[in-house]
Amino acid sequence: MRLVRFGEAGRERPGLIDVDNVLRDLSGEIDDLAGAHLSRAGLEKIRRLDPKSLPKADPSHRLGPPVTGTTNFLAVGRNYAEHAAETGSDVPTEPLIFNKALSSIVGPHDDVVIPKGSVSTDWEVELAIVIGERAHHVSEAEALDHVAGFCLCNDVSERDWQKNRGGQWVKGKSSPTFGPLGPWLVTPDEIPDLRAVDLWLDVNGERRQTGSTSAMIFGVETLIAYISTFMALQPGDVITTGTPPGVGAGMKPPQFLKAGDRLALGATRLGEQRARVVAYSA
């Protein structure tokens, strides 16, 4: 299934995209894509519905983040060896985990805002995991039982704040609009091989990133099991899993986003994001 949330920011309704790519309104069946609705039982209830019985929704609606009720927005650093190399960093021996602020989450086509004072706002296309059931001390073999699905993420980053403002990456990862998610949440049955998801990102029509999850150092199951050692993951939590090479910081000379730029990114079965880059305004 491809599940979405549509409508104005803060007032989104749940929906799904049917096999004919028609947007259907789920709000008569569930209140939102959150909590128990993300569990295996909750998703099975949605799966049993006849999509044609659901009202059609206007396809011009804004798409919001495809999940809500998120309590942890986590990210994985340097999970592709070539990305670590392009930024002059060591390859981690254990997953490198950091936080992104929940307030950074926006819809897939919302504007990306360059923060006030930013000198190095960068892009990162990534596969993101959405947790469906509480996960604490789970094994790799059990990990996917706790997953609601997957979505596309742009882990937007302010590199100067990330690296030069006291050592906490969260500072460079958390500005409003730095966490576009979607367009849709794809249930695990739609992705036959999590190690064969192709990723790409363009800036102003020029290809910047091309990669595949086959090159991830730590796979999805490993990441869930590892993180669940340190915290209890909750339904709606998001883990974005790292980016392939081609970020602006790795270019020679480095190139960063500026107002007026256009971002396009996508991944196998996860859809595409298209966003405008705008300057901060109070």
Side-chain angles (χ1 to χ4, degrees):
M1 293 186 294
R2 292 177 294 169
L3 301 171
V4 299
R5 298 175 65 250
F6 63 95
E8 62 183 275
R11 299 182 64 184
E12 294 95 343
R13 301 198 301 275
L16 62 79
I17 307 295
D18 70 17
V19 294
D20 298 315
N21 294 315
V22 174
L23 175 60
R24 301 281 181 170
D25 190 340
L26 272 172
S27 61
E29 304 292 335
I30 62 173
D31 53 357
D32 216 334
L33 289 170
H37 299 305
L38 298 171
S39 69
R40 284 168 289 178
L43 292 172
E44 183 57 31
K45 179 181 176 182
I46 297 171
R47 188 174 284 109
R48 288 198 299 264
L49 297 171
D50 176 7
K52 295 188 187 309
S53 71
L54 301 171
K56 291 182 180 181
D58 185 343
S60 68
H61 276 299
R62 166 190 173 270
L63 291 180
V67 64
T68 190
T70 305
T71 60
N72 291 293
F73 187 12
L74 303 167
V76 183
R78 304 178 198 157
N79 200 22
Y80 291 73
E82 288 185 55
H83 172 57
E86 73 176 344
T87 58
S89 304
D90 294 333
V91 174
T93 56
E94 293 187 38
L96 196 167
I97 309 298
F98 59 91
N99 291 90
K100 289 176 71 77
L102 299 179
S103 55
S104 70
I105 296 174
V106 290
H109 310 308
D110 292 342
D111 291 345
V112 170
V113 180
I114 297 176
K116 181 179 181 180
S118 169
V119 296
S120 52
T121 297
D122 206 348
W123 56 83
E124 292 190 6
V125 60
E126 307 194 1
L127 166 76
I129 306 161
V130 177
I131 298 297
E133 299 186 17
R134 185 178 186 272
H136 193 208
H137 295 297
V138 302
S139 68
E140 291 188 25
E142 300 168 319
L144 293 182
D145 291 339
H146 300 265
V147 172
F150 303 90
C151 66
L152 188 65
C153 176
N154 187 359
D155 177 19
V156 185
S157 310
E158 213 300 335
R159 301 300 187 189
D160 182 57
W161 298 357
Q162 177 185 353
K163 296 184 176 182
N164 302 319
R165 296 300 299 272
Q168 295 295 319
W169 283 19
V170 67
K171 298 173 186 175
K173 297 284 189 170
S174 293
S175 187
T177 75
F178 272 26
L181 298 176
W184 42 67
L185 171 67
V186 178
T187 51
D189 56 293
E190 296 278 347
I191 303 180
D193 187 351
L194 289 169
R195 284 288 194 170
V197 177
D198 294 328
L199 302 159
W200 59 270
L201 182 144
D202 294 346
V203 180
N204 298 325
E206 295 186 13
R207 186 58 44 94
R208 293 289 184 244
Q209 290 185 274
T210 303
S212 169
T213 56
S214 63
M216 288 200 304
I217 299 166
F218 305 107
V220 167
E221 296 92 338
T222 299
L223 292 172
I224 295 168
Y226 181 85
I227 294 169
S228 78
T229 301
F230 305 102
M231 66 184 74
L233 296 166
Q234 306 295 333
D237 285 358
V238 176
I239 304 167
T240 189
T241 60
T243 197
V247 300
M251 299 178 72
K252 301 188 186 309
Q255 296 185 22
F256 298 113
L257 294 170
K258 61 186 183 302
D261 284 346
R262 295 279 178 170
L263 285 165
L265 53 148
T268 308
R269 299 180 183 268
L270 299 181
E272 298 183 7
Q273 295 184 9
R274 297 189 179 275
R276 179 181 61 162
V277 180
V278 301
Y280 171 86
S281 61

